[in-house]
């Protein structure tokens, strides 16, 4: 991915990692459009970053995705990058939750959202000299956090889907890059996460991601050092992976 000279759409760009990426790419001189459900959050971010644009997008609504994609093609004909950052993460007690509303919402936002938005934007991306689709997965795509099973499953699915999409687009002008964050200080799971000392500071994460993009423009996976133990855990063999999985989940459930 080129670090400059882009017109970039970032979903979930008003908060957390999305906002961090939006501001970093904006400072590099890219044209950045942030998208999300909450108009006030988008306004606050664009007001703090003059020249940044925004659009309200309900990533759960297929009709709204198509409408926004069509409008983006008109308003930003040079759009050549989409970063699928929007996502929700909710704890689920599978023994005590007979309803599946949370699971369905997570699948709709985290999995169907990127699939639908890619389909809507692909004709526009293919018109550009060079384009990039960035899927945001997670270290939890490779070692799931058991208290958030559907979230982890959607990230594993997007990892798999990204590989297939990359293969299908290999003879086109559109590259596919996967960004897999570790545990980062955001409010994805509430305010406690933003202050959790076990989580990577957001600014540190954004800075390391940008350094990888600048120094490894052909990378298909963007992996900061702190996520690599999760990414490579399965390569250690079944028994070691099982032990790692249990230790990881025990530590996350019992931080003390």
């Amino acid at each position: 991915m080129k670090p400059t000279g882009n017109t970039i759409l970032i979903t979930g760009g008003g908060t957390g990692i999305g906002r961090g990426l939006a501001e970093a790419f904006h400072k590099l001189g890219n044209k950045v459009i942030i998208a999300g459900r909450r108009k006030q959050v988008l306004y606050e971010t664009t007001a703090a970053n003059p020249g940044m644009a925004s659009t309200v997008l309900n990533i759960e609504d297929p009709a709204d995705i198509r409408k926004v994609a069509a409008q983006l093609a008109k308003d930003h004909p040079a759009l050549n990058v989409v970063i699928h950052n929007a996502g929700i993460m909710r704890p689920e007690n599978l023994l005590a939750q007979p309803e599946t509303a949370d699971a369905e919402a997570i699948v709709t936002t985290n999995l169907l959202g990127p699939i639908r938005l890619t389909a809507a934007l692909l004709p526009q991306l293919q018109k550009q000299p060079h384009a990039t689709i960035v899927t945001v997965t997670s270290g939890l795509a490779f070692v799931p956090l058991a208290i958030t099973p559907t979230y982890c499953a959607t990230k594993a699915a997007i990892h798999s889907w990204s590989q297939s999409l990359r293969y299908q687009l290999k003879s086109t002008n559109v590259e596919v890059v996967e960004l897999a964050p570790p545990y980062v200080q955001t409010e994805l799971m509430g305010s406690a996460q933003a202050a959790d000392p076990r989580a990577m500071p957001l600014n540190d994460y954004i800075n390391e991601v940008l350094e990888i993009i600048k120094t490894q423009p052909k990378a298909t996976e963007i992996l900061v050092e702190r996520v690599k133990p999760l990414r490579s855990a399965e390569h250690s063999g079944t028994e070691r992976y099982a032990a790692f999985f249990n230790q990881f989940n025990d530590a996350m459930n019992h931080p003390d």
Side-chain angles (χ1 to χ4, degrees):
M1 177 181 175
K2 300 186 301 177
T4 59
N6 302 297
T7 299
I8 307 173
L9 172 68
I10 304 178
T11 65
T15 60
I17 290 174
R19 178 168 180 169
L21 290 172
E23 292 179 335
F25 281 117
H26 181 65
K27 288 176 182 177
L28 289 174
N30 297 281
K31 177 62 180 179
V32 175
I33 309 106
I34 57 173
R37 293 184 180 93
R38 295 177 289 172
K39 188 174 183 179
Q40 181 61 30
V41 169
L42 298 176
Y43 171 77
E44 291 170 0
T45 302
T46 55
N49 298 275
M52 189 181 291
S54 69
T55 183
V56 176
L57 170 65
N58 182 358
I59 198 67
E60 292 189 39
D61 184 346
D64 197 48
I65 289 173
R66 292 191 295 270
K67 182 184 74 173
V68 171
Q71 191 62 48
L72 285 167
K74 294 178 182 178
D75 295 343
H76 304 282
L79 179 67
N80 71 314
V81 178
V82 57
I83 301 179
H84 292 295
N85 173 75
I88 56 175
M89 184 178 188
R90 297 173 184 169
E92 299 169 84
N93 183 340
L94 301 181
L95 297 177
Q97 288 182 232
E99 300 297 328
T100 59
D102 280 345
E104 291 173 23
I106 294 166
V107 170
T108 301
T109 297
N110 297 6
L111 180 57
L112 292 178
I115 291 173
R116 289 166 171 163
L117 185 56
T118 294
L121 290 176
L122 199 53
Q124 172 72 6
L125 297 176
Q126 289 179 298
K127 294 178 182 178
Q128 310 305 327
H130 181 80
T132 306
I133 297 169
V134 180
T135 57
V136 179
T137 59
S138 170
L140 301 180
F142 311 103
V143 181
L145 181 62
I147 61 171
T148 60
T150 304
Y151 174 86
C152 300
T154 59
K155 294 303 182 178
I158 287 292
H159 167 67
S160 175
W161 182 76
S162 299
Q163 294 177 74
S164 297
L165 181 65
R166 183 181 300 120
Y167 186 86
Q168 291 196 20
L169 294 176
K170 66 180 181 178
S171 61
T172 75
N173 62 316
V174 184
E175 65 176 345
V176 178
V177 177
E178 179 180 350
L179 177 62
Y183 185 36
V184 178
Q185 289 179 344
T186 70
E187 294 191 354
L188 183 61
M189 285 281 282
S191 58
Q193 180 177 336
D196 192 337
R198 299 172 300 170
M200 186 174 186
L202 178 59
N203 286 340
D204 291 352
Y205 177 68
I206 297 299
N207 290 337
E208 192 171 345
V209 166
L210 264 292
E211 185 62 22
I212 293 171
I213 291 172
K214 291 175 182 177
T215 59
Q216 303 175 46
K218 298 296 184 181
T220 56
E221 290 186 356
I222 299 175
L223 305 170
V224 301
E225 289 301 316
R226 287 183 65 160
V227 82
K228 288 181 179 178
L230 295 173
R231 178 67 181 94
S232 61
E234 278 195 322
H235 300 309
S236 63
T238 302
E239 290 186 5
R240 288 185 178 180
Y241 173 80
F244 183 93
F245 172 86
N246 287 325
Q247 290 169 4
F248 171 72
N249 276 277
D250 289 345
M252 293 301 292
N253 283 323
H254 305 288
D256 297 331

